[in-house]
Amino acid sequence: MKLAVVGGGSTYTPELIDGFARLRDTLPISELALVDPAAERLEAVGGLARRIFARQGHDGLITTTSDLDAGVDGAGAVLLQLRVGGQAARERDETWPLECGCVGQETTGAGGLAKALRTVPVVLDVAERVRRASPEAWIVDFTNPVGIVTRALLRAGHKAVGLCNVAIGFQRKFAALLGVAPEAVHLDHVGLNHLTWERGVRLGGPDGEDVLPGLLARHGDAIAGDLRLPRAVLDRLGVVPSYYLRYFYAHDEVVRELGTRPSRAAEVAAMERELLAMYRDPALDEKPELLARRGGAFYSEAAVDLVAALLGSGAGGPRLQVVNTYNDGTLPFLPDDAVIEGQAAVDAGGPVPLAMPEPDPLYAGLIAHVTAYEDLALQAALRGGRDRVFRALLAHPLVGQYELAEGLTDRLIAHNREHLAWA
């Protein structure tokens, strides 16, 4: 089978390649097309990708191209990992919100809205071209903000599923603490992309024993340390929030911290320069250790499992995996066409969310609030206009005041004008 990666020149890509090589029995690939307009980056990444395949004995063909239509032609699945505007745009997303006393972050708050406005039109154009070239292809979206982008794809009628590595990261962390294989750990994962809580950690499957209380009792300090939240917060909640919840639960503390150190975008840009230099070394034939600091840990394993399920590779019935897909009644307080992140049974027909108990109001309220923001954000991304940007910002729980929303709207448009056709 042929797969395509749009954004294949990303420094993330060797993580994917390593997973595809190691897990080739799960997902046999005859051709992997890396598509990217950045020719120099693509050459470096493509060369390393071929060497990784060769080192691990994978006989699949790796091609590189800047021609999107040719790259996706005949693909059974297309993975999207785009960053419209590059690290320079991310740097701005992380800095100008701080001028208004708000979190500067690329997937939530005002910076996250800016990224959505830049990204949704580009992704929809890519998806239309995928539909023309390969009408049956599945689109797997790893492009942030995943929830909004996936919602845009689904509303436009595309065969799309959103994927994030937060859940698989928790699964691997908990498995290591428990001393069990990762596949033995099932998460009671609920919420929206980058707004999730682990309400249970079950051994053996959805009906297995919940060992989360014991995990928190024995390893609460370590878990809290990873999340950079006080241990007492986890004990009082009795759940494990995604580390993105720190932007909500400790907003003012985070803003103070961000004002005293270089942006994450600056750190990543420096790391990318170092990684690309490594990738150009013809002696390198494995992903370097530095890549683990870049982010996206375990993305390759999650992607392999998801694509294998969507393309019907391997024996057995549907696979259980945390994905982003339509709510479709799973959380009754949300619209059916909201995109949630949770466990789903995935096969060639797509993901079907598993039934789950309704969340505690403490979580349901925030989920509903951010869902309303995401709906307004998508309207702004699709239709443009200053008023729609303002409405989305006013609705966001990290903004919520009209003077802040006014100031952030002006800054968002000023810093993103080149990417906003309507501006």
Side-chain angles (χ1 to χ4, degrees):
M1 68 179 72
K2 176 181 177 180
L3 301 185
V5 180
V6 178
S10 168
T11 53
Y12 273 131
T13 300
E15 166 71 24
L16 264 182
I17 301 299
D18 178 72
F20 289 152
R22 287 186 294 103
L23 302 171
R24 55 187 175 275
D25 291 340
T26 301
L27 184 65
I29 299 171
S30 58
E31 179 183 351
L32 179 62
L34 305 181
V35 184
D36 203 296
E40 188 175 344
R41 290 174 65 107
L42 190 60
E43 180 182 2
V45 173
L48 175 57
R50 294 185 186 99
R51 294 192 297 274
I52 291 174
F53 263 32
R55 176 191 173 105
Q56 299 198 29
H58 196 303
D59 59 3
L61 174 68
I62 293 180
T63 60
T64 57
T65 181
S66 60
D67 185 334
L68 174 65
D69 299 316
V72 302
D73 185 37
V78 177
L79 282 68
L80 304 184
Q81 50 179 39
L82 307 178
R83 185 179 296 282
V84 179
Q87 293 297 334
R90 177 180 181 174
E91 169 81 18
R92 294 191 293 271
D93 292 345
E94 293 179 350
T95 51
W96 56 260
L98 296 174
E99 298 170 6
C100 297
C102 294
V103 160
Q105 212 279 329
E106 66 159 346
T107 63
T108 191
L113 176 62
K115 193 171 196 301
L117 297 183
R118 293 193 304 269
T119 303
V120 166
V122 174
V123 166
L124 289 178
D125 177 67
V126 169
E128 285 299 329
R129 293 167 70 176
V130 170
R131 180 150 53 190
R132 290 197 297 269
S134 300
E136 299 304 313
W138 280 98
I139 295 175
V140 175
D141 176 57
F142 193 63
T143 298
N144 281 318
V146 167
I148 296 172
V149 173
T150 303
R151 196 172 188 181
L153 288 165
L154 291 171
R155 282 191 176 184
H158 297 289
K159 293 174 61 177
V161 185
L163 182 64
C164 180
N165 69 321
V166 168
I168 194 172
F170 274 130
Q171 182 199 44
R172 298 303 174 89
K173 170 79 172 178
F174 297 151
L177 292 174
L178 292 165
V180 300
E183 54 270 21
V185 174
H186 178 91
L187 302 176
D188 286 348
H189 183 98
V190 64
L192 313 176
N193 180 242
H194 290 185
L195 193 87
T196 52
W197 296 263
E198 309 307 331
R199 297 186 298 178
V201 177
R202 301 185 180 276
L203 294 181
D207 300 320
E209 176 191 3
D210 182 11
V211 297
L212 179 57
L215 265 175
L216 288 175
R218 292 190 298 275
H219 303 288
D221 288 343
I223 295 170
D226 287 346
L227 300 174
R228 301 187 64 203
L229 288 171
R231 164 73 184 269
V233 172
L234 270 63
D235 289 339
R236 294 180 72 179
L237 295 178
V239 302
V240 178
S242 158
Y243 46 85
Y244 287 93
L245 265 298
R246 187 167 184 263
Y247 297 117
F248 295 82
Y249 291 165
H251 176 274
D252 294 351
E253 179 183 348
V254 172
V255 169
R256 288 192 295 270
E257 289 175 1
L258 293 175
T260 62
R261 66 179 190 228
S263 68
R264 173 64 176 165
E267 294 175 355
V268 170
M271 204 178 303
E272 287 198 329
R273 289 191 291 271
E274 188 174 352
L275 284 169
L276 287 169
M278 292 178 175
Y279 295 173
R280 294 187 182 99
D281 179 357
L284 183 68
D285 58 3
E286 60 185 347
K287 64 178 183 180
E289 291 185 11
L290 178 62
L291 185 56
R293 290 168 43 204
R294 172 66 181 84
F298 309 118
Y299 167 38
S300 60
E301 286 89 340
V304 166
D305 286 346
L306 178 56
V307 173
L310 292 171
L311 299 185
S313 176
R319 303 183 188 206
L320 299 184
Q321 188 166 1
V322 173
V323 298
N324 286 260
T325 191
Y326 271 149
N327 175 48
D328 200 19
T330 308
L331 297 177
F333 57 90
L334 296 184
D336 285 349
D337 68 347
V339 166
I340 63 171
E341 183 172 289
Q343 292 280 0
V346 186
D347 61 16
V352 177
L354 301 188
M356 64 177 72
E358 188 165 334
D360 182 289
L362 179 61
Y363 317 122
L366 189 52
I367 291 170
H369 194 162
V370 175
T371 296
Y373 151 75
E374 290 190 346
D375 185 58
L376 292 169
L378 183 54
Q379 291 181 36
L382 294 174
R383 302 171 64 189
R386 187 186 187 283
D387 284 349
R388 293 189 181 91
V389 174
F390 171 81
R391 283 166 56 83
L393 286 167
L394 188 62
H396 201 294
L398 296 182
V399 181
Q401 300 179 59
Y402 73 87
E403 288 188 352
L404 285 179
E406 288 282 8
L408 290 166
T409 298
D410 290 339
R411 287 167 172 79
L412 186 155
I413 294 172
H415 285 288
N416 291 275
R417 198 176 299 277
E418 66 183 295
H419 299 291
L420 305 176
W422 51 269

